[in-house]
Amino acid sequence: MTDRRAFIGTLAGGLLAAPLAAEAQQAAKIARIGYLTTNMAAGPVLEAFRQGLRDLGYVEGRNLVIEYRAAEGKSERLPALAAELVALKVDVIVAPTTPAALAAKQATRTIPIVFSFAPDPVASGLVTSLARPGGNVTGLSVLGPELVGKRLELLTQAVPGVSRVAFLWQPGALDERQGKDILKEAEVAARALGVRLQFVEARGPADFDSAFSEMTRARADALTVLTSVMFFNERRRLVDLAAKNRLPAVYPWRDSVDAGGLMSYGPNVADLFRRAATYVDKILKGAKPADLPVEQPTKFELVINPKTAKALGLTIPPSVLGRADEIIQ
């Protein structure tokens, strides 16, 4: 009888302990994320992504490990870095930009990939469609081509009389098809607005001084800056050079206006990276990228800095100021 009771007690204890042990094991599971980027200097957006993870209960060093890989501005290094993350068998790869996401996609068809800053993920081949990504890649789109024309329009309205606009872009920041689409969109918008575009290349920060000298020689009246991670990282220097050369400029990100730029129009970049954390969370909890539609921004911000306008000797029309979502005082 004693042996029988002991056996039943042991069995019952084992049955109770089993789910508790499984629960403890699950709680102790550490998520491993690979973070692949061209340049790690994008501090504010990376911190926004980390904060998004913290808001969802993930803490680095406790239940989360992030393997960071940065190409130091050299896109050709992305494939090798993506292969490193695949070899580490991370649970998810976060590749914010199109070049990084494409490199990750070429490296693996099984590990989920999340992008947060892709202008046209369908055209670039990252996903089959926005509603049904169809593979191991999903994330957030920034609607690049459409916004180029809108920024030009706002710039001409804010600075009446503009006839020649410098268009600063970074070759290689986007894939070839996206780059052509955006440049074509810019030309179409410029013709409709009656302004001439001067396309100026800057492959890296070392090209900035010569790029602005080129703008000055061509007597550009204003400047629009194309989306680029490198440009975002170097936004303070671009703002300073625009001020030095007395060029009214419109940027894709409000961060440039915070740094002293004249105006910006586009989605909130930090919010996009924060939202990327929700995709990672869903995937870690079992969701498949193919079933997670690509999210597009629903709100676009027009931000204006009147102090910069005054320094440039500009008076921004009340009709434009009245449309601003925020005015930096």
Side-chain angles (χ1 to χ4, degrees):
M1 181 66 70
T2 303
D3 292 342
R4 184 170 180 271
R5 287 177 179 171
F7 172 75
I8 293 174
T10 302
L11 179 62
L15 291 174
L16 288 172
L20 291 174
E23 186 175 335
Q25 184 178 2
Q26 185 174 0
K29 178 177 172 56
I30 297 177
R32 293 176 63 84
I33 298 174
Y35 191 92
L36 179 65
T37 181
T38 305
N39 194 320
M40 193 60 76
V45 293
L46 177 56
E47 180 53 33
F49 172 66
R50 288 170 172 160
Q51 185 59 53
L53 290 172
R54 287 194 290 268
D55 292 342
L56 293 165
Y58 298 94
V59 180
E60 286 185 76
R62 192 169 74 191
N63 62 351
L64 172 68
V65 172
I66 302 181
E67 298 285 353
Y68 298 98
R69 295 293 186 277
E72 300 177 355
K74 300 177 181 177
S75 299
E76 63 273 15
R77 294 187 57 201
L78 289 171
L81 296 175
E84 287 183 19
L85 293 175
V86 172
L88 290 172
K89 298 181 180 179
V90 295
D91 299 309
V92 185
I93 296 176
V94 176
T97 63
T98 298
L102 285 172
K105 183 178 180 180
Q106 290 169 1
T108 177
R109 298 290 177 174
T110 55
I111 297 176
I113 299 165
V114 175
F115 55 81
S116 57
F117 202 66
D120 193 338
V122 177
S124 63
L126 284 173
V127 298
T128 303
S129 72
L130 299 182
R132 297 179 180 277
N136 63 321
V137 186
T138 188
L140 299 99
S141 169
V142 291
L143 299 170
E146 296 86 345
L147 295 179
V148 171
K150 186 64 177 178
R151 290 190 194 105
L152 273 175
E153 178 186 349
L154 288 167
L155 183 61
T156 58
Q157 292 173 350
V159 191
V162 165
S163 63
R164 189 178 185 88
V165 178
F167 187 98
L168 184 65
W169 68 294
Q170 180 193 9
L174 303 171
D175 69 83
E176 185 177 356
R177 179 175 173 180
Q178 282 178 305
K180 288 181 178 179
D181 287 346
I182 287 177
L183 296 181
K184 182 179 178 180
E185 180 71 23
E187 290 177 331
V188 170
R191 283 197 298 270
L193 293 167
V195 299
R196 290 177 295 169
L197 283 185
Q198 175 197 2
F199 292 103
V200 182
E201 297 182 6
R203 295 182 180 274
D207 298 328
F208 286 174
D209 288 334
S210 59
F212 275 85
S213 295
E214 188 178 337
M215 297 176 202
T216 302
R217 286 195 301 271
R219 297 183 180 180
D221 301 310
L223 165 68
T224 181
V225 178
L226 185 60
T227 297
S228 156
V229 174
M230 186 267 289
F231 288 165
F232 180 84
N233 293 336
E234 299 290 336
R235 59 195 177 280
R236 290 188 181 278
R237 188 172 170 212
L238 287 176
V239 165
D240 290 344
L241 283 168
K244 179 181 177 181
N245 289 275
R246 301 192 63 77
L247 281 172
V250 60
Y251 302 88
W253 329 274
R254 63 151 301 142
D255 305 75
S256 295
V257 185
D258 291 332
L262 177 64
M263 60 192 295
S264 68
Y265 181 77
N268 187 302
V269 179
D271 185 59
L272 291 174
F273 278 71
R274 193 178 300 110
R275 288 285 303 151
T278 66
Y279 277 81
V280 171
D281 178 54
K282 290 176 181 178
I283 289 169
L284 290 174
K285 290 177 178 175
K288 296 180 180 180
D291 300 328
L292 296 175
V294 173
E295 184 176 310
Q296 295 177 289
T298 56
K299 178 176 171 55
F300 300 92
E301 301 175 325
L302 172 60
V303 184
I304 299 174
N305 191 327
K307 289 183 180 179
T308 301
K310 184 177 180 180
L312 290 168
L314 297 175
T315 300
I316 297 180
S319 58
V320 178
L321 286 173
R323 294 162 57 191
D325 295 281
E326 186 174 350
I327 295 177
I328 305 295
Q329 299 293 347

